[in-house]
Amino acid sequence: MQVIIPGEAAKFALRLAAYAPNGGRLGVLPQHSGFELGDPLNDVPSLKVTYPTGGLNWNLIAGHCEVAVEYAVSSGLWVEPPNARFLRIKRSGDSTDRAGSRSYDLPGWAWMMRKVVLYPNSAMVDGKRQFNAVSPGEILATFIQEGKARGALTHLGFDFSLSQDSDGKAWAKTLTLAIEPGKDLLSVLINLSEQGVLDWRMQGRTLQVFNPDTVLGRDRASGPTPVDLRLGRDVIEAPDTGTLEDAVSAILIGGEAGLSVEVTNSAAVAPWGRWETYQSQSGVSDEGTARLLGQNALERVARERVQVTRGLMFDLARWLPFEHYQPGDYLLAPGDGGAMESLRLRQITLSVDTDGQVGGNVVLNDRFLEREIRLARQAAGILDGGVGSGGSGGEPAPETNNRTPAAPQGLIVEAAAYLDEHGYARGQATVTWSAVNQDVNGVALGIDGYEVYTRRNQAGELWLLVAQTASGDTTATVSPLVVGWEYAWKVRTISAGVKGAFSDQVVKLVPGDATPPPVPTAPQLSTRLGVIHVAWDGLGAGGVVMPIDFERIRVWMDDPLTQEAAAEVGYLDAAGSIVVPDQPYNADCTFWFTAVDRSQNESAASGPATIATQPLVDADLIGEVIDGATNIIDGTIPGDAKITADSITGRLIRALAIEADKIAVNAVTADKVAAGAIQAGHISANAITADKIAANAITAAKLSADAINGKTITGSLIRTGTTGQRIVIDPSTLDIRFYPDGNSNYSRLWTSDDDFAGEATFRITSGTNPGMTARTYFTLAAGWTKLQVLNPNNSNANGGFLESAEDYSRIGYENDTSDNQYMWFDASGMTTHYGKWWDSAFASNTWGVHAGSRIASSGWTGVEIGYGPTMQGNMGPVAVLRDGAMTADPSLQPNFYWCIEYSTQTSFLISWSEGGGVRSGKAVYWWAHRHNGSA
C-alpha cells in the first residue's frame, strides 16, 4: 500500500478519487498499492490499479464506480486533467492471497461510447444512413441525441455545436458519409480522428472535439519560453528503438482496368539497394491518383522508423505533465541521438508505486512520423471518399420507365498535389457524393451510374466529362489537374439512359506542392589566391538524396563588414562548387545553403560554415616596396593588381612561356588583338572547338555573306533562340521542335528506326492541353500509319484514332479501358465493329442505327418503341422477344407469336399473343436502321 512519509511536499503528485456511476464524488482512494495511467492522443485512455481489501475506502472501488486521477503541483490544488475519468468495470483477484489485493483494469470514460449505436431511419439509401455535406459536429450530435432519446448515455455531455468545435471555432471540414446502422459512436469518432477530420478528448464525462492540430496540436517548442524537456532535469532516460523492416524504395500500384503504375523514391534509405513492394488499390483508375498514393506510401517507408521514448523525472523538472503539456502538443525534447528538436507528444504514461513515488515516460513523434500520419490520412480520404464504407443491403428498385433521376446531394471535393515522373507538380481530386435511389418526384428508381463533370472556374470555360462510375460507387478520382487553378465540379445520375439533373456545383482550388526539399548538408569551404570556394556534396542533411523535384541550392553569405542582411551569392543545381571573389583579407565570411524545388518551396537553412581569405604575402609586407627577385612567390601576383599598363612587352616574355592554361577565361578579348594579327596560319587544326566559343559570340554580323553556303554544319544543337518563340534542331535525335512565344509546350517532328528495322519512321506530335491529359501523335511508316490522341504522362491511348496498314484499317476510340470501340476493315473484304451501341434514349434525328431494350410487364400484349426524335428518313426495325416465364421456371415452353404491326419515322409497334396460358413479362430487344426512302 502507499506509505505516507512526513517531510517536504512532492513537486508533482497524483491521487485517485471515486465517483458514483453518473453521479457525485464518493471520496479519495488513498491506500492503493500502485497504479499506472496511459493517456494517448485521440484514443481511449487506460488505468490499472492495485488496491488491498481492507484499505481505506476499499469498498468504493470494489463496487461499481468511476475513478478519477487527479494531480497537484507543489501541494497546490488537486485538478482532474482531461482523459482522467475511468470506469471500474473489470476486476481480478486471487482468493489465496492473504493480503487480499485486487487488480482493477479501468478503461477511460470514452469507452462507454461503444454502447450507443446508430439506428436506421426512414431515409435509408442502400441500407445506410446518409449524411450529406455536414460538419463532424452534426454526425456526432446525431449519435448522442438519438441515443439519449432512447435512454443511452444520458450523462454524456458535449460542448461543441453543429457549426463550431469545442474551442468555439467554425468546423474546418464537411463530410458526406453513408453509415450502416449498428455502427457505434466510438468507432466513428476514432475513424474520423484517424483520417485527420478532428481531434478529441474527454473532460470528466464531457466529450470535447476540436478541429485537427489546433487545441490538441499547440506549438510549445518555440517562442520565448519553450517547453524544453532537458536531459538530467526533466528527462532521466532516453531510449530509442529503430527498424528498417518496413523500408522500401519502389512500389507497384495496381488499380482498376489493368492500371499499373511504378513509383520510386531515390531518397529512400537503401543500404542493400532497391527494395520493392506492391499495393492493390481497387477503385483507382487514373494514373495521377495511383502515383499520388504510391508517393504517399513510399514517403511513409522511406527511412528508418524510430520510436522515441523519454523517461520523466519530477524532483528537478521544470515542466510537468498536464500542468505544462498534454498529448498532441509539440515540445522541445531530445530526439533520436539526443539533439534537441521539435517533437509531438503522442502519449503520457504515469505510474505511482507502493511508496507514492511518481514515475513515467512520454512517447514522442519526430516530424517524419507526423508527416507519415498526415500522408496516411490523405490516402485514406482518397480511397474511402469521405469515410464512406462499401457494401449494399438495399432491395432492388423498380424499373425506370424513362423517369428522370434526382440530383445527387452532398457533393464534396478534396484536392491534393503530387509529383509526376519528371518531378513537376500536378493536381488530383477525390469527388464524393451521396447515392441516389429515387426520381425527381421521390419515387424509388434503379440507378445505372453517375457522371462527373468539371471545368476551370472561369466564365466561358467548357464543362468536361472526366469520370463515370457504376451505380454503387459514389466516389471518383480525377487527375492530372493544373495546380493553382480553381475548378468547378458537378455530378448527375443516369438511369436506363435517362440523365438526371446536376448536383449543386462545388468550387475547389487545386493546391500546389507545399513540401520543401530536405535541408542541405553544410557548405565545404576552402580559400586560395584571395577567393573562396564554396562546395556542396549534392545531399541533404543526414546523407539523404534530394527528391525528384529538386531544382537548385541557393548559396548565402553573411558579409562581416556591413550591417546588411545576408545575400545570395550564387546557386548550384547539382554537387559542385562556386567561387566567391573580392572578399577582404582575414575577415570571417559565413556561408549556408537552402534548397529550392520546382514549386519554389524552400528548405530551412543548412548548418553554417565560416572561413576568411588569406593574403598572398606576410602582413608586414602589404603596402611596402617588394623586391621581386627574393620576396615574391612565383605565380602569386595577379596581373591586374601589380603590373602597370604596357610594362610587359614582347621581349620580356620567353618564347612559348604563356600557354593556354595560364590565360584566364575571357582574358583575351577582341580589343586586345590587333586587326589582322591572327591569321589562318596561326590557328592549328581543330584548335577552336565549340567549348572555346562563348554563347552568342558568333552573330550574323560576324559571318560574311555566303560563308556557310554549301558547308556541313556539325554539332549537337541548332536553335534560333534560347527563350521565347524559337525552333530547335537536334541532329543527335533527328528532332525539330517548335516553341510558341513564351511557352515551353512545344510541337515536334522527328524520325527514327526503332519500330521497323532498316526503315525510317516519321513522327509528329502536338503540344499538350492545359490539363496535361492529351497530346496528338501522328506516326508515318512505310506500311503503317496512325493518328491518335495519347496521355502525355504515360503515352497510353486517351482518345480518338485513325490507323491504316497494308492489310487492315481501323477508326475509333481508345483509352486503355473496357470502353474501347472501333470499326475494323481488312483485306478479307469484311467489316467488324468492336464496342457497344448507344441506347436509343440518346438518339438524334440523323442517327443511322438505333438499338435498345424495353421491359413490358406481365399481362401486356404489345409495346410501342419510340425513337425519341422524328428521324429524317424511313426506319427498318428488327425486334425479338424474350419471355419472362423462362426466368421464373426454365421448364416452361413459351408458346406465343409476335410481329411488328407498323413502323414510322418516330416509332414502331410490336405486338404478341399471351400464348400457352402463360401471362409473363416480356423483354423487347430491337435494332433499327435508317434506309433509303423519302429523306
Side-chain angles (χ1 to χ4, degrees):
M1 67 177 61
Q2 182 178 2
V3 178
I4 302 175
I5 303 175
E8 184 179 349
K11 186 172 185 178
F12 182 79
L14 296 171
R15 74 178 185 184
L16 303 178
Y19 286 78
N22 291 336
R25 187 183 180 93
L26 300 175
V28 176
L29 300 170
Q31 291 188 332
H32 58 79
S33 299
F35 65 84
E36 182 175 297
L37 159 72
D39 183 9
L41 175 65
N42 291 330
D43 208 340
V44 179
S46 62
L47 176 67
K48 185 170 185 178
V49 181
T50 302
Y51 214 93
T53 302
L56 184 61
N57 289 339
W58 72 273
N59 59 304
L60 299 181
I61 194 170
H64 297 138
C65 69
E66 299 174 12
V67 175
V69 177
E70 299 174 341
Y71 79 95
V73 176
S74 299
S75 297
L77 296 175
W78 289 96
V79 178
E80 179 182 337
N83 281 344
R85 183 68 64 91
F86 299 88
L87 304 171
R88 212 296 279 154
I89 58 175
K90 184 178 180 182
R91 61 182 174 86
S92 62
D94 187 346
S95 299
T96 65
D97 181 5
R98 293 186 178 182
S101 291
R102 296 292 183 263
S103 294
Y104 301 94
D105 291 303
L106 298 86
W109 209 96
W111 177 91
M112 198 136 52
M113 289 187 288
R114 298 174 56 183
K115 300 303 183 179
V116 60
V117 300
L118 187 68
Y119 273 50
N121 66 1
S122 60
M124 305 284 284
V125 177
D126 287 339
K128 301 176 186 178
R129 289 276 298 267
Q130 298 292 314
F131 294 88
N132 296 329
V134 298
S135 70
E138 293 179 75
I139 297 173
L140 300 177
T142 298
F143 273 81
I144 296 171
Q145 292 169 349
E146 290 184 1
K148 286 186 175 184
R150 297 190 300 267
L153 298 189
T154 55
H155 286 72
L156 171 62
F158 60 94
D159 57 6
F160 54 86
S161 69
L162 306 186
S163 59
Q164 294 180 332
D165 71 357
S166 294
D167 193 36
K169 302 298 190 299
W171 289 108
K173 294 181 180 292
T174 57
L175 306 170
T176 292
L177 294 181
I179 303 179
E180 295 180 358
K183 185 74 71 174
D184 66 84
L185 173 58
L186 181 61
S187 297
V188 172
L189 186 62
I190 292 177
N191 183 265
L192 293 178
S193 66
E194 287 177 344
Q195 297 211 26
V197 175
L198 52 81
D199 290 329
W200 65 276
R201 69 185 182 191
M202 294 294 297
Q203 181 63 64
R205 301 183 184 110
T206 298
L207 174 62
Q208 296 182 325
V209 184
F210 306 95
N211 284 318
D213 301 325
T214 54
V215 172
L216 299 189
R218 298 192 188 279
D219 182 10
R220 302 184 187 273
S222 58
T225 56
V227 176
D228 54 339
L229 304 184
R230 298 283 178 177
L231 287 169
R233 186 192 68 188
D234 310 271
V235 174
I236 193 172
E237 58 183 359
D240 301 322
T241 303
T243 178
L244 278 174
E245 293 173 296
D246 297 326
V248 294
S249 55
I251 186 170
L252 181 64
I253 301 292
E256 298 286 354
L259 177 69
S260 181
V261 177
E262 182 196 56
V263 184
T264 60
N265 184 2
S266 60
V269 176
W272 287 274
R274 177 183 171 111
W275 284 1
E276 301 176 335
T277 190
Y278 175 80
Q279 186 169 311
S280 177
Q281 298 291 11
S282 61
V284 175
S285 59
D286 72 285
E287 181 184 354
T289 300
R291 190 169 296 279
L292 173 59
L293 293 171
Q295 288 170 356
N296 284 358
L298 288 183
E299 279 284 330
R300 301 198 296 271
V301 293
R303 58 188 59 83
E304 183 182 43
R305 296 183 63 90
V306 180
Q307 177 175 312
V308 178
T309 305
R310 298 294 175 254
L312 300 176
M313 58 189 302
F314 298 95
D315 292 340
L316 301 175
R318 180 182 180 186
W319 310 107
L320 299 170
F322 302 139
E323 180 73 8
H324 300 118
Y325 55 83
Q326 61 182 325
D329 287 346
Y330 286 86
L331 312 178
L332 198 61
D336 184 19
M340 298 294 286
E341 58 181 296
S342 176
L343 303 172
R344 193 174 193 190
L345 178 57
R346 281 282 161 179
Q347 178 166 317
I348 297 175
T349 302
L350 298 175
S351 63
V352 178
D353 63 17
T354 56
D355 295 328
Q357 296 299 310
V358 180
N361 60 65
V362 291
V363 176
L364 302 162
N365 276 7
D366 61 20
R367 60 188 176 90
F368 298 110
L369 284 176
E370 284 302 307
R371 172 164 169 76
E372 290 172 15
I373 291 171
R374 289 194 297 272
L375 292 174
R377 288 171 170 176
Q378 183 187 62
I382 292 171
L383 296 176
D384 293 339
V387 204
S389 56
S392 182
E395 294 296 325
E399 295 299 327
T400 66
N401 294 323
N402 293 321
R403 290 182 285 126
T404 301
Q409 302 296 314
L411 181 64
I412 289 179
V413 181
E414 281 297 318
Y418 69 96
L419 302 177
D420 67 14
E421 66 272 28
H422 305 296
Y424 291 97
R426 307 294 183 204
Q428 180 272 350
T430 301
V431 187
T432 306
W433 58 92
S434 292
V436 174
N437 66 348
Q438 58 187 18
D439 64 14
V440 292
N441 297 315
V443 180
L445 184 69
I447 302 302
D448 296 337
Y450 304 90
E451 293 181 338
V452 179
Y453 284 77
T454 190
R455 70 172 183 177
R456 190 177 183 186
N457 192 35
Q458 291 183 350
E461 291 289 334
L462 297 178
W463 286 97
L464 301 175
L465 175 64
V466 292
Q468 294 174 294
T469 71
S471 59
D473 192 352
T474 56
T475 297
T477 57
V478 181
S479 70
L481 304 171
V482 180
V483 296
W485 280 16
E486 228 180 29
Y487 286 84
W489 301 83
K490 61 184 180 180
V491 63
R492 67 181 175 187
T493 311
I494 300 177
S495 175
V498 178
K499 298 186 177 183
F502 280 108
S503 67
D504 292 338
Q505 294 182 28
V506 171
V507 175
K508 194 73 174 180
L509 176 69
V510 178
D513 171 32
T515 304
V519 175
T521 53
Q524 302 165 8
L525 306 180
S526 61
T527 180
R528 182 173 179 269
L529 299 181
V531 299
I532 299 173
H533 296 263
V534 185
W536 178 52
D537 61 8
L539 299 175
V544 301
V545 178
M546 285 295 169
I548 189 174
D549 62 336
F550 167 75
E551 184 175 73
R552 69 185 185 278
I553 289 292
R554 301 178 72 184
V555 182
W556 298 89
M557 185 186 76
D558 186 18
D559 187 343
L561 299 183
T562 70
Q563 299 299 318
E564 297 178 0
E568 183 178 1
V569 294
Y571 71 90
L572 292 162
D573 54 15
S577 65
I578 67 167
V579 174
V580 182
D582 302 326
Q583 298 307 303
Y585 293 135
N586 297 317
D588 287 343
C589 295
T590 300
F591 294 86
W592 63 88
F593 297 141
T594 57
V596 180
D597 64 19
R598 287 175 177 156
S599 298
Q600 302 309 301
N601 298 308
E602 189 163 6
S603 73
S606 71
T610 302
I611 199 171
T613 57
Q614 300 297 319
L616 302 179
V617 296
D618 291 339
D620 58 353
L621 296 177
I622 298 175
E624 302 294 332
V625 176
I626 299 176
D627 183 353
T630 60
N631 294 333
I632 301 177
I633 301 172
D634 291 342
T636 63
I637 300 181
D640 61 344
K642 301 299 180 183
I643 301 173
T644 60
D646 303 320
S647 62
I648 298 180
T649 60
R651 65 183 182 82
L652 298 178
I653 302 174
R654 187 178 63 227
L656 304 178
I658 301 179
E659 300 176 351
D661 62 347
K662 300 299 191 299
I663 303 173
V665 176
N666 300 323
V668 179
T669 58
D671 61 343
K672 302 295 190 301
V673 182
I678 300 178
Q679 301 179 6
H682 297 142
I683 303 173
S684 60
N686 300 321
I688 300 178
T689 57
D691 61 345
K692 300 298 191 298
I693 302 173
N696 302 318
I698 300 178
T699 61
K702 301 295 192 300
L703 302 176
S704 62
D706 301 326
I708 307 181
N709 187 29
K711 304 298 183 182
T712 299
I713 301 174
T714 60
S716 61
L717 206 65
I718 302 170
R719 57 189 177 185
T720 61
T722 57
T723 61
Q725 181 173 310
R726 62 195 184 280
I727 300 174
V728 178
I729 303 175
D730 191 345
S732 66
T733 57
L734 298 178
D735 185 339
I736 303 177
R737 280 164 283 173
F738 301 86
Y739 292 80
D741 185 26
N743 195 340
S744 61
N745 191 359
Y746 58 82
S747 57
R748 181 184 181 201
L749 291 78
W750 81 103
T751 297
S752 70
D753 59 359
D754 297 339
D755 293 311
F756 305 99
E759 181 180 318
T761 300
F762 182 67
R763 297 182 176 87
I764 302 174
T765 64
S766 71
T768 63
N769 64 342
M772 282 292 292
T773 59
R775 167 179 276 161
T776 298
Y777 284 69
F778 177 58
T779 305
L780 182 64
W784 176 79
T785 184
K786 190 171 185 179
L787 176 66
Q788 61 187 143
V789 178
L790 301 183
N791 185 328
N793 295 296
N794 53 22
S795 297
N796 291 339
N798 195 35
F801 72 89
L802 174 62
E803 181 180 7
S804 295
E806 291 181 88
D807 54 353
Y808 73 90
S809 179
R810 294 193 303 156
I811 182 171
Y813 177 86
E814 290 180 321
N815 65 353
D816 287 342
T817 70
S818 59
D819 292 329
N820 294 346
Q821 65 235 253
Y822 52 88
M823 296 293 296
W824 176 283
F825 312 90
D826 60 30
S828 67
M830 293 182 287
T831 300
T832 301
H833 171 258
Y834 294 79
K836 296 178 289 187
W837 291 92
W838 279 104
D839 190 88
S840 63
F842 299 92
S844 69
N845 63 353
T846 57
W847 271 22
V849 173
H850 291 251
S853 62
R854 179 78 177 272
I855 301 296
S857 300
S858 173
W860 288 30
T861 57
V863 64
E864 183 178 15
I865 305 296
Y867 300 127
T870 299
M871 304 305 296
Q872 288 189 357
N874 292 333
M875 302 298 293
V878 179
V880 67
L881 285 178
R882 179 175 63 84
D883 196 309
M886 293 295 291
T887 303
D889 185 357
S891 66
L892 293 176
Q893 298 296 320
N895 179 21
F896 62 94
Y897 61 85
W898 73 85
C899 69
I900 296 176
E901 293 194 22
Y902 66 79
S903 172
T904 69
Q905 290 176 238
T906 60
S907 65
F908 69 90
L909 176 65
I910 181 170
S911 300
W912 57 87
S913 68
E914 294 180 7
V918 179
R919 297 177 58 84
S920 57
K922 304 292 188 292
V924 183
Y925 300 93
W926 56 272
W927 163 293
H929 60 278
R930 191 157 54 94
H931 58 82
N932 290 336
S934 60

